Amino acid sequence: MGDQTIRTSEIGTFHFCNRAWWYEKQGVASTNAPRLEYGTTWHQARGRRFVTAGRLQFAALSLIFVSLLIAILMRYLG
């Protein structure tokens, strides 16, 4: 029966070109392998940058919060 799972990349492939999706399902190798590999590498790097940006944003907001807390404590205790 085979794998019945539909990946989001398959939906994207089908939306972009249903013939390319069909070829992929038939096991026909893409003639565009270098560009596909480049695209995969690019998306992985972009994903890592987004994760890093999220962590930096969290750290910045945490520092702002701690700074405000210290300023409030200094005003009322000092």
Side-chain angles (χ1 to χ4, degrees), residues 1-77:
M1 186 117 177
D3 187 14
Q4 296 290 323
T5 304
I6 298 174
R7 301 179 323 242
T8 53
S9 61
E10 286 185 69
I11 295 170
T13 302
F14 184 84
H15 181 70
F16 180 71
C17 178
N18 59 1
R19 186 175 296 260
W21 173 83
W22 184 83
Y23 280 135
E24 185 179 287
K25 284 302 210 183
Q26 301 305 311
V28 176
S30 173
T31 58
N32 210 11
R35 289 187 69 195
L36 290 172
E37 186 176 328
Y38 171 79
T40 299
T41 303
W42 184 85
H43 278 94
Q44 288 171 343
R46 183 180 170 113
R48 284 190 298 273
R49 285 192 302 269
F50 272 110
V51 168
T52 300
R55 288 178 179 162
L56 289 172
Q57 185 177 24
F58 177 77
L61 290 173
S62 298
L63 288 173
I64 290 170
F65 176 74
V66 168
S67 298
L68 288 172
L69 186 61
I70 290 171
I72 290 169
L73 288 173
M74 287 180 68
R75 173 145 172 93
Y76 288 107
L77 299 178

